[in-house]
């Protein structure tokens, strides 16, 4: 049976896949995202940055999954928010999260999510497909006390763009234009296409599907 290996610690990505009928094998990559981004040429397009980060995560995990490498697909993803031409990843600190919300509250920004799918057979990568999705997020203006409370939860510190759509941050998103699953971190429409590119139909990965 072909297994899907998710190269991410994100519980949100895992939840999206599980809700869609796939029970992923979670294998966290050890990629230094800042180092990968810094190694890219100056002026690299945002879409290329997120794709290369996703590729680095997937390939890192592909090198350390001997138990599944006989027949699996490895999926790596990376999301960043594009605000005023600048990519923003995880803020990590309350101060950075507050500054980012000051810049994006009441405005729109593009959430770009890079995807990389690796098809593995007998321990080797036999096919690869990569692409990214872009969804426009329209942010509300949290009241100062609301933003204080949100930052105090710690949620926005460890997520791209300092917000979630499927968590407490969803209170401060007015609407989106695009794929909601991509904003959560893994775009199902795009992933289906990439899986098809490497010869895997989604029904092959569903729980309880015929072998």
């Amino acid at each position: 049976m072909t297994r899907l290996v998710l190269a991410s610690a994100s519980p949100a990505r895992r939840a999206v896949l599980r809700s869609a009928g796939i029970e992923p094998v979670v294998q966290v990559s050890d990629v230094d995202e800042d180092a990968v981004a810094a190694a890219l040429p100056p002026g690299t397009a945002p879409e290329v940055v997120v794709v290369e980060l996703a590729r680095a995560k997937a390939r890192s995990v592909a090198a350390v999954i001997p138990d599944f490498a006989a027949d699996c697909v490895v999926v790596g993803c990376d999301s960043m928010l594009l605000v005023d031409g600048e990519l923003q990843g995880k803020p990590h600190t309350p101060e950075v999260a507050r500054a980012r919300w000051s810049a994006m509250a009441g405005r729109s920004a593009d959430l770009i999510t890079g995807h990389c799918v690796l098809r593995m057979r007998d321990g080797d990568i036999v096919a690869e497909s990569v692409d990214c999705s872009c969804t426009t997020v329209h942010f509300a203006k949290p009241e100062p006390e609301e933003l204080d409370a949100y930052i105090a939860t710690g949620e926005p510190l460890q997520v791209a763009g300092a917000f979630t759509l499927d968590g407490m941050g969803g209170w401060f998103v007015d609407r989106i234009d695009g794929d909601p699953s991509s904003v959560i971190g893994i775009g199902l429409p795009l992933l289906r296409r990439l899986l098809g590119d490497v010869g895997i139909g989604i029904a092959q990965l569903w729980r309880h599907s015929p072998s």
Side-chain angles (χ1 to χ4, degrees):
M1 175 182 174
T2 305
R3 298 298 303 271
L4 186 148
V5 179
L6 179 62
S8 173
S10 167
R13 289 188 179 116
R14 181 183 181 189
V16 169
L17 290 173
R18 295 188 72 184
S19 295
I22 295 175
E23 186 63 56
V25 176
V26 175
Q27 180 72 46
V28 182
S29 76
D30 59 357
V31 167
D32 184 333
E33 298 177 24
D34 291 338
V36 172
L40 296 173
T44 298
E47 295 81 2
V48 175
V49 173
V50 294
V51 164
E52 289 305 316
L53 286 166
R55 192 200 308 269
K57 293 176 182 179
R59 287 189 168 267
S60 171
V61 165
V64 295
I65 53 166
D67 292 344
F68 300 98
D71 183 9
C72 73
V73 286
V74 181
V75 177
C77 299
D78 190 83
S79 299
M80 300 185 83
L81 189 69
L82 185 65
V83 180
D84 295 330
E86 181 180 347
L87 281 175
Q88 299 181 352
K90 302 169 184 176
H92 297 299
T93 69
E95 293 76 19
V96 174
R98 189 178 303 280
R100 290 186 179 174
W101 267 99
S102 295
M104 67 194 193
R107 301 179 59 198
S108 302
D110 291 331
L111 195 288
I112 306 175
T113 300
H115 297 62
C116 175
V117 173
L118 304 176
R119 180 68 168 109
M120 298 194 70
R121 282 283 194 183
D122 299 323
D124 294 325
I125 298 171
V126 297
E128 175 185 281
S129 188
V130 299
D131 205 347
C132 68
S133 58
C134 181
T135 301
T136 301
V137 183
H138 302 269
F139 293 101
K141 285 187 176 182
E143 297 296 330
E145 61 272 17
E146 291 176 326
L147 185 57
D148 289 343
Y150 181 45
I151 292 174
T153 68
E155 180 187 271
L157 307 188
Q158 299 301 323
V159 290
F163 81 101
T164 62
L165 183 63
D166 57 331
M168 286 177 281
W171 293 102
F172 311 121
V173 175
D174 282 340
R175 70 182 193 277
I176 65 168
D177 297 325
D179 170 28
S181 61
S182 179
V183 178
I184 296 172
I186 184 165
L188 295 181
L190 177 55
L191 180 58
R192 176 174 172 268
R193 178 169 65 79
L194 298 182
L195 287 168
D197 288 346
V198 300
I200 297 293
I202 53 170
Q204 294 175 248
L205 303 172
W206 284 343
R207 295 187 297 267
H208 312 304
S209 64
S211 57

Coordinates of all heavy atoms in Angstrom, one line a residue, residues 30-105:
D30 N 14.4 18.3 9.4 CA 15.4 19.1 10.2 C 16.0 20.3 9.4 O 17.1 20.7 9.7 CB 16.5 18.2 10.7 CG 17.3 17.5 9.6 OD1 16.9 17.7 8.4 OD2 18.3 16.8 9.9
V31 N 15.2 20.7 8.4 CA 15.7 21.8 7.5 C 15.8 23.1 8.3 O 14.8 23.5 9.0 CB 14.8 21.9 6.3 CG1 15.1 23.2 5.5 CG2 15.0 20.7 5.4
D32 N 16.9 23.9 8.1 CA 17.0 25.2 8.6 C 16.4 26.1 7.5 O 17.0 26.4 6.5 CB 18.5 25.5 8.8 CG 18.7 26.9 9.4 OD1 17.8 27.8 9.2 OD2 19.7 27.1 10.1
E33 N 15.2 26.6 7.7 CA 14.5 27.3 6.7 C 15.2 28.7 6.4 O 15.3 29.1 5.2 CB 13.0 27.6 7.2 CG 12.2 26.4 7.4 CD 10.8 26.7 7.9 OE1 10.3 27.8 7.7 OE2 10.2 25.8 8.5
D34 N 15.7 29.3 7.4 CA 16.4 30.6 7.2 C 17.6 30.4 6.3 O 17.9 31.2 5.5 CB 16.8 31.2 8.5 CG 15.5 31.7 9.3 OD1 14.5 31.9 8.7 OD2 15.7 31.9 10.5
A35 N 18.3 29.3 6.6 CA 19.6 29.0 5.8 C 19.2 28.7 4.3 O 19.9 29.1 3.4 CB 20.3 27.8 6.4
V36 N 18.2 27.9 4.1 CA 17.8 27.6 2.7 C 17.4 28.9 2.0 O 17.8 29.1 0.9 CB 16.6 26.6 2.7 CG1 16.0 26.4 1.3 CG2 17.0 25.3 3.3
A37 N 16.6 29.7 2.6 CA 16.2 31.0 2.0 C 17.4 31.9 1.7 O 17.4 32.5 0.7 CB 15.1 31.7 2.9
A38 N 18.3 32.0 2.7 CA 19.4 32.8 2.5 C 20.4 32.4 1.4 O 21.1 33.2 0.8 CB 20.2 32.9 3.9
A39 N 20.4 31.1 1.1 CA 21.2 30.6 0.1 C 20.7 30.8 -1.3 O 21.5 30.6 -2.3 CB 21.4 29.1 0.3
L40 N 19.5 31.2 -1.5 CA 18.9 31.5 -2.8 C 19.5 32.9 -3.3 O 19.8 33.8 -2.5 CB 17.4 31.6 -2.7 CG 16.7 30.3 -2.3 CD1 15.2 30.5 -2.1 CD2 16.9 29.2 -3.4
P41 N 19.5 33.0 -4.6 CA 20.1 34.3 -5.2 C 19.2 35.5 -4.8 O 18.0 35.4 -4.6 CB 20.0 34.0 -6.7 CG 19.9 32.6 -6.8 CD 19.2 32.0 -5.6
P42 N 19.9 36.6 -4.6 CA 19.1 37.9 -4.3 C 18.0 38.1 -5.3 O 18.3 37.9 -6.5 CB 20.2 39.0 -4.3 CG 21.5 38.2 -4.0 CD 21.3 36.9 -4.7
G43 N 16.9 38.5 -4.9 CA 15.8 38.8 -5.8 C 15.0 37.6 -6.3 O 14.2 37.7 -7.2
T44 N 15.2 36.5 -5.7 CA 14.5 35.3 -6.0 C 13.0 35.5 -5.8 O 12.6 36.1 -4.8 CB 14.9 34.1 -5.1 OG1 16.3 33.8 -5.4 CG2 14.1 32.8 -5.5
A45 N 12.2 35.1 -6.7 CA 10.7 35.4 -6.7 C 10.1 34.7 -5.4 O 10.6 33.6 -5.1 CB 10.0 34.9 -7.9
P46 N 9.1 35.3 -4.8 CA 8.5 34.7 -3.6 C 8.0 33.3 -3.9 O 8.1 32.4 -3.0 CB 7.4 35.6 -3.3 CG 7.8 37.0 -3.8 CD 8.6 36.6 -5.1
E47 N 7.4 33.0 -5.1 CA 6.9 31.7 -5.4 C 8.0 30.7 -5.4 O 7.8 29.5 -5.0 CB 6.2 31.7 -6.7 CG 5.0 32.6 -6.8 CD 5.2 34.1 -7.0 OE1 6.4 34.5 -7.1 OE2 4.3 34.9 -7.0
V48 N 9.2 31.1 -5.9 CA 10.4 30.2 -5.9 C 10.9 29.9 -4.5 O 11.3 28.8 -4.2 CB 11.5 30.7 -6.8 CG1 12.7 29.8 -6.8 CG2 11.0 30.9 -8.3
V49 N 10.9 30.9 -3.7 CA 11.4 30.7 -2.3 C 10.6 29.6 -1.6 O 11.1 28.7 -1.0 CB 11.3 32.1 -1.5 CG1 11.6 31.8 0.0 CG2 12.2 33.1 -2.1
V50 N 9.2 29.7 -1.6 CA 8.4 28.8 -0.9 C 8.5 27.4 -1.5 O 8.5 26.4 -0.8 CB 6.9 29.2 -0.8 CG1 6.8 30.5 0.1 CG2 6.3 29.4 -2.1
V51 N 8.6 27.3 -2.8 CA 8.8 26.0 -3.4 C 10.1 25.4 -3.0 O 10.2 24.2 -2.7 CB 8.7 26.1 -5.0 CG1 9.2 24.9 -5.6 CG2 7.2 26.3 -5.4
E52 N 11.2 26.1 -3.0 CA 12.5 25.6 -2.6 C 12.5 25.2 -1.2 O 13.2 24.2 -0.8 CB 13.6 26.6 -2.9 CG 13.9 26.8 -4.4 CD 14.2 25.5 -5.1 OE1 15.0 24.7 -4.6 OE2 13.6 25.3 -6.2
L53 N 11.8 25.9 -0.3 CA 11.7 25.5 1.1 C 10.9 24.2 1.2 O 11.3 23.3 2.0 CB 11.1 26.6 1.9 CG 11.9 27.8 2.2 CD1 11.1 28.9 2.7 CD2 13.0 27.4 3.2
A54 N 9.9 24.0 0.5 CA 9.1 22.8 0.5 C 9.9 21.6 -0.1 O 9.9 20.5 0.5 CB 7.8 23.0 -0.4
R55 N 10.7 21.9 -1.1 CA 11.5 20.8 -1.7 C 12.6 20.4 -0.7 O 12.8 19.2 -0.6 CB 12.2 21.4 -3.0 CG 12.8 20.2 -3.8 CD 13.9 20.8 -4.8 NE 13.4 21.9 -5.6 CZ 12.8 21.7 -6.8 NH1 12.7 20.5 -7.3 NH2 12.4 22.8 -7.5
A56 N 13.2 21.4 0.0 CA 14.2 21.0 0.9 C 13.7 20.1 2.1 O 14.3 19.2 2.5 CB 14.9 22.3 1.5
K57 N 12.5 20.5 2.5 CA 11.8 19.7 3.6 C 11.5 18.2 3.1 O 11.8 17.3 3.8 CB 10.6 20.3 4.1 CG 10.8 21.7 4.8 CD 9.5 22.3 5.1 CE 9.7 23.7 5.8 NZ 8.4 24.3 6.1
A58 N 11.0 18.1 1.9 CA 10.6 16.8 1.4 C 11.9 16.0 1.2 O 11.9 14.8 1.5 CB 9.8 17.0 0.1
R59 N 12.9 16.5 0.6 CA 14.1 15.8 0.3 C 14.8 15.4 1.6 O 15.4 14.3 1.7 CB 15.0 16.5 -0.6 CG 14.5 16.5 -2.0 CD 15.5 17.1 -3.1 NE 15.0 16.8 -4.4 CZ 15.4 15.7 -5.1 NH1 16.2 14.9 -4.6 NH2 14.9 15.6 -6.3
S60 N 14.8 16.2 2.6 CA 15.4 15.9 3.9 C 14.7 14.7 4.5 O 15.4 13.8 5.1 CB 15.3 17.1 4.9 OG 15.6 16.8 6.2
V61 N 13.4 14.6 4.5 CA 12.7 13.5 5.0 C 12.8 12.3 4.2 O 12.9 11.1 4.7 CB 11.2 13.9 5.2 CG1 10.3 12.6 5.4 CG2 11.0 14.8 6.3
A62 N 12.9 12.4 2.8 CA 13.0 11.3 2.0 C 14.3 10.5 2.2 O 14.4 9.3 2.0 CB 13.0 11.7 0.5
A63 N 15.3 11.2 2.8 CA 16.6 10.5 3.1 C 16.6 9.7 4.4 O 17.5 8.9 4.6 CB 17.7 11.6 3.2
V64 N 15.5 9.8 5.2 CA 15.5 9.2 6.5 C 14.3 8.3 6.8 O 13.9 8.2 7.9 CB 15.7 10.2 7.6 CG1 17.1 10.8 7.5 CG2 14.6 11.2 7.6
I65 N 13.6 7.8 5.7 CA 12.4 7.0 6.0 C 12.5 5.6 5.3 O 11.6 5.2 4.5 CB 11.1 7.8 5.4 CG1 11.3 8.2 3.9 CG2 10.8 9.0 6.2 CD1 10.1 8.6 3.2
P66 N 13.5 4.9 5.7 CA 13.7 3.5 5.1 C 12.4 2.6 5.3 O 12.2 1.8 4.4 CB 14.9 3.0 5.9 CG 14.9 3.7 7.1 CD 14.4 5.1 6.8
D67 N 11.7 2.8 6.4 CA 10.5 1.9 6.6 C 9.4 2.0 5.6 O 8.6 1.1 5.3 CB 10.0 2.1 8.0 CG 10.9 1.7 9.1 OD1 11.9 0.9 8.8 OD2 10.7 2.1 10.2
F68 N 9.4 3.2 5.0 CA 8.3 3.5 4.0 C 8.8 3.7 2.6 O 8.0 3.9 1.7 CB 7.5 4.7 4.5 CG 6.9 4.6 5.8 CD1 7.5 5.1 6.9 CD2 5.7 3.9 6.0 CE1 6.9 4.9 8.2 CE2 5.1 3.7 7.2 CZ 5.7 4.2 8.3
A69 N 10.1 3.8 2.4 CA 10.6 4.2 1.2 C 10.4 3.2 0.0 O 10.7 3.6 -1.1 CB 12.1 4.5 1.3
A70 N 10.0 2.0 0.3 CA 9.7 1.1 -0.7 C 8.5 1.5 -1.6 O 8.5 1.2 -2.8 CB 9.4 -0.3 -0.2
D71 N 7.6 2.2 -1.0 CA 6.4 2.6 -1.8 C 5.7 3.7 -1.0 O 4.8 3.5 -0.2 CB 5.4 1.4 -1.9 CG 4.2 1.7 -2.8 OD1 4.2 2.8 -3.4 OD2 3.3 0.9 -2.9
C72 N 6.0 5.0 -1.3 CA 5.4 6.1 -0.7 C 5.6 7.4 -1.5 O 6.3 7.4 -2.5 CB 6.0 6.3 0.7 SG 7.7 7.0 0.7
V73 N 4.8 8.4 -1.1 CA 5.0 9.7 -1.6 C 5.3 10.6 -0.4 O 4.7 10.5 0.7 CB 3.8 10.3 -2.3 CG1 3.7 9.6 -3.7 CG2 2.5 10.1 -1.5
V74 N 6.3 11.5 -0.5 CA 6.7 12.4 0.5 C 6.2 13.8 0.1 O 6.4 14.2 -1.0 CB 8.2 12.4 0.7 CG1 8.6 13.4 1.9 CG2 8.7 11.1 1.1
V75 N 5.5 14.5 1.0 CA 4.9 15.8 0.7 C 5.6 16.8 1.7 O 5.5 16.7 2.9 CB 3.4 15.8 0.9 CG1 2.9 17.2 0.6 CG2 2.8 14.8 -0.1
G76 N 6.2 17.8 1.1 CA 6.7 18.9 1.9 C 6.0 20.2 1.5 O 5.6 20.4 0.3
C77 N 5.7 21.1 2.5 CA 5.0 22.3 2.2 C 5.7 23.5 3.0 O 6.3 23.2 4.0 CB 3.6 22.3 2.7 SG 2.6 21.0 1.8
D78 N 5.6 24.7 2.5 CA 6.0 25.8 3.2 C 5.1 27.0 2.9 O 4.9 27.3 1.7 CB 7.5 26.2 2.9 CG 8.0 27.2 3.9 OD1 8.4 26.9 5.0 OD2 8.0 28.4 3.5
S79 N 4.7 27.7 3.9 CA 3.8 28.9 3.7 C 4.4 30.1 4.2 O 5.1 30.1 5.2 CB 2.5 28.7 4.4 OG 1.8 27.5 3.9
M80 N 4.2 31.2 3.4 CA 4.7 32.5 3.8 C 3.7 33.6 3.3 O 3.0 33.4 2.3 CB 6.1 32.8 3.3 CG 7.2 31.8 3.8 SD 8.8 32.3 3.2 CE 9.3 33.4 4.5
L81 N 3.6 34.7 4.1 CA 2.7 35.7 3.7 C 3.5 36.8 3.0 O 4.5 37.3 3.5 CB 2.0 36.3 5.0 CG 0.8 37.3 4.8 CD1 -0.4 36.5 4.2 CD2 0.4 37.9 6.1
L82 N 2.9 37.3 1.9 CA 3.6 38.3 1.1 C 2.9 39.6 1.4 O 1.7 39.8 1.0 CB 3.5 38.0 -0.4 CG 4.2 39.0 -1.3 CD1 5.8 38.9 -1.1 CD2 3.9 38.6 -2.8
V83 N 3.6 40.5 2.1 CA 3.0 41.8 2.5 C 3.9 42.9 2.0 O 5.1 42.9 2.3 CB 2.9 42.0 4.1 CG1 2.3 43.3 4.4 CG2 2.0 40.8 4.6
D84 N 3.4 43.8 1.2 CA 4.2 44.9 0.6 C 5.5 44.4 0.0 O 6.6 45.0 0.1 CB 4.5 45.9 1.7 CG 3.3 46.6 2.3 OD1 2.3 46.8 1.5 OD2 3.3 47.0 3.4
G85 N 5.4 43.3 -0.7 CA 6.5 42.7 -1.5 C 7.5 42.0 -0.6 O 8.5 41.5 -1.1
E86 N 7.2 41.8 0.7 CA 8.2 41.1 1.6 C 7.5 39.8 2.1 O 6.4 39.9 2.6 CB 8.6 42.0 2.7 CG 9.6 41.4 3.7 CD 9.9 42.3 4.8 OE1 9.6 43.5 4.7 OE2 10.5 41.9 5.8
L87 N 8.3 38.7 2.0 CA 7.8 37.5 2.5 C 8.0 37.4 4.1 O 9.0 37.8 4.6 CB 8.6 36.3 1.9 CG 8.2 35.9 0.5 CD1 9.1 34.8 0.0 CD2 6.7 35.4 0.5
Q88 N 6.9 37.0 4.7 CA 6.9 36.9 6.2 C 6.6 35.5 6.6 O 5.6 34.9 6.2 CB 5.9 37.8 6.8 CG 6.2 39.3 6.4 CD 5.1 40.2 7.1 OE1 4.2 39.8 7.7 NE2 5.4 41.5 7.0
G89 N 7.5 34.9 7.4 CA 7.3 33.5 7.9 C 6.8 33.6 9.3 O 5.9 34.4 9.6
K90 N 7.3 32.7 10.2 CA 6.8 32.7 11.5 C 7.5 33.8 12.3 O 8.7 34.0 12.3 CB 7.2 31.4 12.2 CG 6.6 30.2 11.4 CD 7.2 28.9 11.9 CE 6.7 27.7 11.1 NZ 7.3 26.4 11.5
P91 N 6.7 34.6 13.1 CA 7.3 35.7 13.8 C 8.1 35.3 15.0 O 9.1 36.0 15.4 CB 6.1 36.5 14.3 CG 5.0 35.6 14.3 CD 5.2 34.6 13.2
H92 N 7.8 34.2 15.7 CA 8.6 33.7 16.8 C 8.5 34.5 18.1 O 8.5 33.9 19.2 CB 10.0 33.5 16.5 CG 10.2 32.4 15.4 ND1 9.8 31.1 15.5 CD2 10.8 32.6 14.2 CE1 10.1 30.5 14.4 NE2 10.7 31.3 13.5
T93 N 8.3 35.8 18.0 CA 8.3 36.6 19.3 C 7.0 37.5 19.3 O 6.5 37.9 18.2 CB 9.5 37.6 19.4 OG1 9.5 38.6 18.4 CG2 10.8 36.8 19.3
P94 N 6.5 37.9 20.4 CA 5.3 38.7 20.5 C 5.6 40.1 19.8 O 4.7 40.6 19.2 CB 5.1 38.9 22.0 CG 5.7 37.7 22.6 CD 6.9 37.4 21.8
E95 N 6.8 40.6 19.9 CA 7.1 41.9 19.4 C 6.9 41.9 17.8 O 6.4 42.8 17.2 CB 8.5 42.4 19.8 CG 8.6 42.7 21.3 CD 8.7 41.4 22.1 OE1 9.0 40.3 21.6 OE2 8.5 41.5 23.3
V96 N 7.5 40.8 17.2 CA 7.4 40.7 15.8 C 6.0 40.5 15.3 O 5.5 41.1 14.3 CB 8.3 39.6 15.3 CG1 8.2 39.4 13.8 CG2 9.8 40.0 15.6
A97 N 5.3 39.6 16.1 CA 3.9 39.4 15.7 C 3.0 40.7 15.8 O 2.2 40.9 14.9 CB 3.3 38.3 16.7
R98 N 3.3 41.5 16.8 CA 2.5 42.7 16.9 C 2.8 43.7 15.8 O 2.0 44.3 15.2 CB 2.9 43.4 18.3 CG 2.0 44.6 18.6 CD 2.3 45.2 20.0 NE 2.2 44.1 21.0 CZ 1.1 43.7 21.6 NH1 -0.1 44.3 21.2 NH2 1.1 42.8 22.5
A99 N 4.1 43.8 15.4 CA 4.5 44.6 14.3 C 3.9 44.2 13.0 O 3.4 45.0 12.2 CB 6.0 44.7 14.2
R100 N 3.8 42.9 12.8 CA 3.2 42.4 11.6 C 1.7 42.7 11.5 O 1.2 43.0 10.5 CB 3.5 40.9 11.4 CG 5.0 40.6 11.1 CD 5.3 39.2 10.8 NE 6.7 39.0 10.6 CZ 7.3 37.9 10.4 NH1 6.6 36.8 10.4 NH2 8.6 37.8 10.1
W101 N 1.0 42.5 12.6 CA -0.4 42.8 12.6 C -0.6 44.3 12.5 O -1.6 44.7 11.8 CB -1.0 42.3 13.9 CG -1.6 40.9 13.8 CD1 -1.0 39.7 14.1 CD2 -2.8 40.5 13.1 NE1 -1.8 38.6 13.8 CE2 -2.9 39.1 13.2 CE3 -3.8 41.3 12.6 CZ2 -4.0 38.5 12.6 CZ3 -4.9 40.6 12.0 CH2 -5.0 39.2 12.1
S102 N 0.2 45.1 12.9 CA 0.1 46.5 12.7 C 0.2 46.9 11.2 O -0.5 47.8 10.7 CB 1.2 47.3 13.5 OG 1.1 47.2 14.9
A103 N 1.0 46.1 10.5 CA 1.1 46.3 9.1 C 0.0 45.7 8.2 O -0.3 46.3 7.1 CB 2.5 45.7 8.6
M104 N -0.6 44.7 8.7 CA -1.6 44.0 7.8 C -3.0 44.1 8.3 O -4.0 43.8 7.5 CB -1.2 42.5 7.7 CG -1.4 41.7 9.0 SD -0.6 40.1 8.8 CE -1.3 39.2 10.2
A105 N -3.3 44.7 9.5 CA -4.7 44.8 9.9 C -5.5 45.7 9.0 O -5.0 46.8 8.6 CB -4.7 45.4 11.3

